[in-house]
Amino acid sequence: MIRTTVTNRLRAALFVGTGLLLLSGCQTLGVDVYEPSVKPSSTPQTAQKAGASDPRTRIGALEHPRIIASYGGEFRDAKTERLVARIVGALTLVSENPSQAYRITVLNSPAVNAFALPGGYLYVTRGLLALANDASEVAAVLSHEMAHVTANHGLERQRREKEVELAGQVAEELFANSIDGRQAVARGKLSLAAFSRNQELQADVIGVRMLGEAGYDPYAAPRFLESMNANQRFSAVDPEADSSLDFLASHPNAPQRVELARNHARAFGPEGVGDRGRGYYLDGIDGLLFGDSPNEGYVRGTEFLHPVLGVKFSVPAGFRIDNNAEAVIATGPDEMAIRFDGVTDDGRQSLTDYVASGWVTGLDPSSIRQTRIDGLPAATARASADRWDFDITVIRLKDRIYRFLTAAQSGSGQLEATASAVRSSFRKMSSREIKQLQPLRISIVTIAPGDTVASLAARMRGVERKVELFKLLNAIAPGTALTPGQKVKIVTDR
């Protein structure tokens, strides 16, 4: 998923979305006591019942479905699940609370993230698994999140947030929005931010200790922090682009934090100590789904294809496509942007009436026109809002209405040509096209004599900026030489 340059005002006009990331918390399960001289109870206490009565478990269970929905569902793959379970199992044995039970879920999202909920719910995205190069790097992230659980950070933060909120309400009532009142509220927010930073640093310390004691490379933590920083730079062409589903959006990061992680790792010896688990890890992610899933549709260069819905369209050269859960956003030169989405259609309303029904701000009713696109009923219109002009296109296909909203700065001479090119590219996919379209996957290949970064990157399919992506996925630093026999990751649809 490639993010592209678009101003905050234009982003607000085209796309509104939020990402929910809830961190940490822990669970304490009840322990049954069996005495042979006592008759078994007709209502015995079980771990499941004890967990259900624990408020931390209830919080995790309540939020679990929301997390699953926010991240595209669970990623069900036996090989991947065994790999992650192996890592969590090794860490659990050396955790602050070895009896803590964890439920690990691999999320079907290309975002790079991992986090925990109260009750021992652990999550890692397949995007993070694709970025990592060995088991110790995944262990570094998960040990950090397990540390949040064992340190009970979730409930502590929840309690502190309530205290800050209450203090802010009291300050506003006492000072009636005076400067003193606003300063009191600001001090509360700063205190909460410092509290969160301290939690992250504490989790770093515990996590690196767990890494070392589990036999993993303790230097994996600072190493993978640098990989996640590189991924953030690669993914966000626009530094202000929304990355709310990514790890660094919810976990404060800085060069100082990387150095602190290195300092903690030195307690276990110089670099090179511990097991990286690279061989079995790469075997475990060979074939891992990469990027968008079939249910979300695929981006292939300047083309968007959705095999489940059976539709496709393309954008002009110079545009980049960002496939979000709520909509597809393409941004291009001169702050132009295109939004594509679909809504359920009951078929009882004409498309011209639908366009005029009030969902478009600043609509010019006189501009509504009926037309056909790829043989399908359609309608077009124009609108203006703030300093933007919009071209609206709606297309009816079966029980759906597909919508294009093309935006340009007021007076732009490119709006009509761009909107016309996009709408005319909309097509129904044939059954043959749908069958031939395959998802992208991680493929593990062995470097042969004579292979270079450029030649290996050229083998990748369905992605842009191939050399940059190859270096990112394999954590190849500038000046690093490739070694024949070494295994590396490429992205392919074969």
Side-chain angles (χ1 to χ4, degrees):
M1 189 166 63
I2 299 175
R3 302 197 179 274
T4 54
T5 304
V6 58
T7 65
N8 288 335
R9 295 174 70 186
L10 180 55
R11 184 178 295 276
L14 287 179
F15 179 70
V16 177
T18 58
L20 174 65
L21 296 181
L22 301 177
L23 297 175
S24 68
C26 70
Q27 174 188 27
T28 303
L29 296 180
V31 179
D32 295 338
V33 178
Y34 177 68
E35 297 182 23
S37 60
V38 179
K39 182 180 179 180
S41 170
S42 59
T43 58
Q45 174 74 334
T46 65
Q48 183 178 4
K49 288 182 179 180
S53 65
D54 190 320
R56 292 163 292 192
T57 304
R58 290 198 299 270
I59 292 172
L62 178 65
E63 296 296 339
H64 178 73
R66 301 179 191 177
I67 292 296
I68 296 298
S70 297
Y71 282 84
E74 295 185 42
F75 180 67
R76 298 295 181 89
D77 178 79
K79 184 170 71 168
T80 305
E81 290 170 341
R82 285 195 299 269
L83 175 65
V84 176
R86 175 177 178 175
I87 296 170
V88 173
L91 294 172
T92 300
L93 294 175
V94 296
S95 71
E96 302 285 295
N97 180 11
S99 63
Q100 168 69 56
Y102 292 98
R103 173 177 176 173
I104 179 70
T105 301
V106 180
L107 297 168
N108 188 21
S109 170
V112 175
N113 210 347
F115 48 93
L117 290 177
Y121 288 77
L122 285 180
Y123 304 88
V124 61
T125 62
R126 59 175 171 80
L128 187 144
L129 299 179
L131 180 64
N133 278 283
D134 55 53
S136 70
E137 292 183 349
V138 176
V141 176
L142 291 178
S143 63
H144 173 98
E145 298 307 328
M146 293 168 73
H148 278 307
V149 173
T150 55
N152 209 19
H153 284 164
L155 294 183
E156 286 296 313
R157 178 176 171 83
Q158 189 178 59
R159 178 184 61 79
R160 183 65 65 93
E161 284 176 338
K162 289 181 179 178
E163 291 176 356
V164 170
E165 181 182 1
L166 179 60
Q169 291 173 354
V170 172
E172 289 178 355
E173 291 173 3
L174 289 176
F175 298 106
N177 293 321
S178 67
I179 293 177
D180 288 340
R182 290 194 294 271
Q183 288 178 340
V185 172
R187 283 195 298 270
K189 291 180 179 179
L190 287 173
S191 172
L192 183 59
F195 177 71
S196 298
R197 284 194 298 272
N198 288 336
Q199 286 186 331
E200 294 300 327
L201 292 174
Q202 184 184 6
D204 283 346
V205 174
I206 297 173
V208 171
R209 180 197 62 75
M210 289 170 61
L211 269 181
E213 292 188 1
Y216 286 116
D217 174 14
Y219 292 87
R223 186 171 69 246
F224 196 54
L225 275 172
E226 291 177 336
S227 287
M228 287 189 287
N229 274 325
N231 177 72
Q232 190 177 56
R233 292 191 299 270
F234 177 87
S235 300
V237 176
D238 173 11
E240 297 183 79
D242 174 31
S243 58
S244 59
L245 295 183
D246 283 343
F247 186 88
L248 296 182
S250 58
H251 293 68
N253 191 36
Q256 297 92 326
R257 190 174 173 199
V258 174
E259 188 54 38
L260 284 173
R262 282 201 184 92
N263 289 337
H264 298 317
R266 290 187 185 108
F268 293 91
E271 291 195 39
V273 301
D275 178 28
R276 290 195 175 188
R278 180 175 170 84
Y280 74 79
Y281 182 79
L282 292 181
D283 289 342
I285 65 168
D286 192 15
L288 178 70
L289 187 65
F290 181 83
D292 301 321
S293 69
N295 288 334
E296 297 169 340
Y298 302 132
V299 176
R300 297 289 188 270
T302 57
E303 193 171 28
F304 176 76
L305 310 97
H306 203 303
V308 177
L309 298 176
V311 299
K312 66 177 182 177
F313 67 88
S314 60
V315 298
F319 277 74
R320 291 186 182 274
I321 301 176
D322 182 2
N323 185 16
N324 295 282
E326 293 85 356
V328 178
I329 304 292
T331 51
D334 301 321
E335 294 192 308
M336 294 194 68
I338 302 157
R339 174 188 169 112
F340 171 79
D341 66 8
V343 294
T344 303
D345 174 35
D346 58 17
R348 291 179 294 185
Q349 190 177 32
S350 72
L351 288 180
T352 53
D353 287 344
Y354 173 74
V355 173
S357 63
W359 60 277
V360 178
T361 300
L363 178 70
D364 176 7
S366 67
S367 69
I368 302 176
R369 298 286 184 274
Q370 202 166 358
T371 185
R372 296 189 77 80
I373 296 174
D374 193 31
L376 300 169
T380 64
R382 286 293 183 93
S384 298
D386 196 5
R387 60 185 183 93
W388 305 100
D389 291 335
F390 301 94
D391 185 283
I392 302 102
T393 298
V394 295
I395 305 165
R396 174 173 279 144
L397 175 58
K398 297 180 181 178
D399 62 347
R400 302 282 290 175
I401 292 178
Y402 294 104
R403 309 185 296 189
F404 287 101
L405 187 65
T406 305
Q409 294 186 70
S410 299
S412 170
Q414 299 299 314
L415 178 60
E416 175 57 36
T418 302
S420 177
V422 173
R423 78 168 72 97
S424 63
S425 73
F426 183 87
R427 291 285 186 275
K428 292 175 290 184
M429 296 179 66
S430 68
S431 57
R432 181 180 179 183
E433 286 179 311
I434 293 173
K435 186 176 181 179
Q436 289 179 339
L437 186 62
Q438 296 297 318
L440 300 180
R441 297 186 182 277
I442 292 290
S443 179
I444 306 302
V445 299
T446 303
I447 299 174
D451 278 340
T452 65
V453 167
S455 67
L456 289 166
R459 295 169 60 179
M460 302 211 295
R461 296 169 58 89
V463 295
E464 296 183 307
R465 301 157 63 194
K466 293 182 179 181
V467 170
E468 291 179 67
L469 181 59
F470 177 79
K471 290 180 178 178
L472 172 69
L473 289 176
N474 294 286
I476 296 176
T480 301
L482 299 181
T483 304
Q486 177 186 355
K487 291 184 177 182
V488 291
K489 295 177 283 184
I490 63 172
V491 177
T492 182
D493 61 356
R494 294 177 177 174

